[in-house]
Amino acid sequence: MNVDVDLAPLREYLAAEGADGYLIDDDASDADQRYVSGFTAPDPYQTLVTADGVHLLVSGLEYGRAAAEAGADSVSRRAAYDYQRLVAEHGQYEGKLRTLAAFLEDHGVDALSVPRTFPTGTADGLREQGVAVTVEPEGIVTDIRATKTEWEVERIRASQRANEAAMARAEELIATADIEDGTLVHDGEPLTSERVTEEIEVTLLRHGCALDETIVACGADGADPHDRGSGPLEADELIVIDIFPRDKETGYFADMTRTFARGDPGEEARRRYEVTHEAYEAALETVAAGVTGADVHGAACDVIEDAGYETLRSDPNTETGFIHSTGHGVGLDIHEQPSVSPSGGDLEPGHVISIEPGIYDPAVGGVRIEDLIVVTEDGYENLTEYRVGLEPTTDARE
Amino acid sequence: MNVDVDLAPLREYLAAEGADGYLIDDDASDADQRYVSGFTAPDPYQTLVTADGVHLLVSGLEYGRAAAEAGADSVSRRAAYDYQRLVAEHGQYEGKLRTLAAFLEDHGVDALSVPRTFPTGTADGLREQGVAVTVEPEGIVTDIRATKTEWEVERIRASQRANEAAMARAEELIATADIEDGTLVHDGEPLTSERVTEEIEVTLLRHGCALDETIVACGADGADPHDRGSGPLEADELIVIDIFPRDKETGYFADMTRTFARGDPGEEARRRYEVTHEAYEAALETVAAGVTGADVHGAACDVIEDAGYETLRSDPNTETGFIHSTGHGVGLDIHEQPSVSPSGGDLEPGHVISIEPGIYDPAVGGVRIEDLIVVTEDGYENLTEYRVGLEPTTDARE
């Protein structure tokens, strides 16, 4: 359980706004709710933050587990607020609202702050019950989540270990493939993006992780950073593999990208790989508490522009070169705060960020190199233990 | 693409309420949005239903794919409504709201109906922009989704085929296990719930499906319908396996449960299996268009009560016997309309429902048998091709 969650900034906001509480009404797919409640359930539940604690409202089915597992100061079951009678009298929807209003009254809450994503049905319903509901517009909980506790860093590290196993399996398939008519072949069949993706997924699954999608993109596919890739992998082409799995138990993501080539991808591709590698190292060397995400992004742009490639800084409309930001926070969401981009603010100890510069051009293919790191007072710790190299090997895990 | 979606009931509601449009602002994890838009994207997008069509608002990144793939009448990119300038001038949050307000104005929408889950931040922000926003309280789109088009039935059938492969793999592991000291053993190691679950997941993955969780529950674990199960599987005990995978491409779920036993689970367990099997057959025989879900549930309860076991109908507080409802709709959500329970209304052709009676007692274990069917005019078609039998075999697929 994540015991060191510091909700002080949220409580300061509530006090300044004259709100008695902050309510989340969602299921555990909402990362803010999972973080604040220390709980996850398949069905919606409610998490209330007040000056004196964190209070959950759950179904009878979830009550025992919530009372035992959740990081909350109190757990209530709906039945404690006459849920069944209210539903019988007013119907499912209105009955649930009245139960929630009774729960809020029990905790002395008349004026409520809610996240932007809070359901309008619940907000308008509570307003009809006399509760003042206003939206907290800044995403304070998301900001709090950007700084990881030690417990969280260990969870993310564990997800990255699984990720390394999956990357090693993918790299091994590429390293050991035969080449027939310019195509990678395994067991007599073309080695496709789809086959490599499936092996990545099976490996992750055997390490307790799952993913919604992954990128195994060869040649021109790899020049579009959002293309997942498809079809046979070719020799003499760049192959971008980007894996971002989530641990099924803890919910924490990891993220890593490597670029490989079998045969000879050509001098220009090799040069782009070297420049990307230098940009990655320059970005890493810049990271420290107090440095901004914009500074780190700038360091990567400097290297890439100096080598003669465009970036979105040198040409905001470019469709080739370095056409995304250098990184993003990773945690219970795959993309979260802080940003390592032109708008990125101060980095702080405990920020977990990706560093992932790349250079893209459909005529040459794509290169991207990505590690996951945690910011420390005077630099960073790399959470990734995996060799960086264009030539695929069978022993890349460090 | 699901071309036969009939939004007439929603449009009738809008006309009756004097609303110009119905707006969904979510990502594709919202089944209603995925259904209405015929589109899925990793990031949030907006779907507007008006009298004359379905209109999407997407990012530039998604525009090309949405224009090509979505089942919408029009697709707009945010840039068409000056998104970048509005964000530069008003910030990310307010800029997005003003873009959305311009999109609504472009489609002549002043009064908007939204789902209960619509984000309060968007609702209150649009209200500040002069748009009237009211919540549609009945869940009309969810009701529409209950009746599947032929295209959808084929997607669900395909997911159930993958499910059968996974169930066959699990059953094979149980059928071929050795028994040592009362425990099932494979390759010298105890066959645990966790091992069987992993093989189920890998099999599903190789068939294009994923799942968040699955149930492989032995003995007393199986007597709690929500227990996922853990630890070694035992001989002479009932083993409940409930798998509900989702196709990763189409998003459609399937659902199936079988109960097995190696060795001799005892006379009482065998009797409960037979009674559950009879209840399942009685429920299936009752299904037809015009019959209510409550009638189908009642048919299962009749058999189980006649055999001397409690149901929630005979004793609302019982913790043993038949302690859940007979079934639920299955589609883009694993639990959706219609309900096959005491509150279940008329079944209609095209409703896809599970039929899953069970009998539970920690002293004996759990039995559940579940197929997935589609309601037809005069009965049903079973989407499940898998033998029902307590004795595990290696050839259960029909």
Side-chain angles (χ1 to χ4, degrees), chain A residues 169-247:
Chain A
R169 175 73 181 128
E171 183 171 350
E172 178 195 17
L173 284 168
I174 293 169
T176 59
D178 296 320
I179 298 176
E180 293 179 11
D181 299 332
T183 296
L184 304 199
V185 170
H186 245 291
D187 305 321
E189 296 287 326
L191 185 64
T192 58
S193 290
E194 291 82 355
R195 275 181 76 188
V196 175
T197 295
E198 188 171 310
E199 292 307 316
I200 288 170
E201 294 194 71
V202 168
T203 305
L204 288 172
L205 210 144
R206 297 211 185 271
H207 286 78
C209 286
L211 43 61
D212 286 331
E213 51 180 277
T214 195
I215 294 172
V216 179
C218 178
D221 284 356
D224 175 352
H226 294 91
D227 194 318
R228 283 191 274 171
S230 61
L233 301 178
E234 306 292 340
D236 310 329
E237 296 280 357
L238 294 165
I239 302 169
V240 179
I241 302 186
D242 187 348
I243 316 178
F244 32 104
R246 180 180 211 179
D247 186 283

Side-chain angles (χ1 to χ4, degrees), chain A residues 259-275:
Chain A
T259 303
F260 305 109
R262 281 293 303 277
D264 181 9
E267 196 179 330
E268 177 58 22
R270 288 182 195 282
R271 177 164 190 266
R272 285 165 184 241
Y273 190 89
E274 287 313 314
V275 172

Side-chain angles (χ1 to χ4, degrees), chain A residues 279 283 293 296-298 300-301 322 324-328 340-342 354-357:
Chain A
V296 175
H297 180 63
C301 289
F322 182 28
H324 54 70
S325 56
T326 295
H328 53 84
V340 187
S341 75
S354 68
I355 295 293
E356 49 177 313

Side-chain angles (χ1 to χ4, degrees), chain B residues 243-263:
Chain B
I243 316 178
F244 33 104
R246 179 181 211 177
D247 186 283
K248 289 168 69 152
E249 288 299 318
T250 70
Y252 283 89
F253 280 93
D255 202 349
M256 173 170 36
T257 305
R258 289 293 183 269
T259 302
F260 304 110
R262 281 294 302 278

Side-chain angles (χ1 to χ4, degrees), chain B residues 264-296:
Chain B
D264 181 10
E267 195 177 332
E268 176 58 23
R270 287 183 196 282
R271 178 164 189 265
R272 284 164 185 243
Y273 190 90
E274 287 313 313
V275 172
T276 301
H277 196 177
E278 283 165 32
Y280 147 97
E281 287 182 332
L284 285 174
E285 278 162 27
T286 308
V287 170
V291 171
T292 66
D295 292 335
V296 176

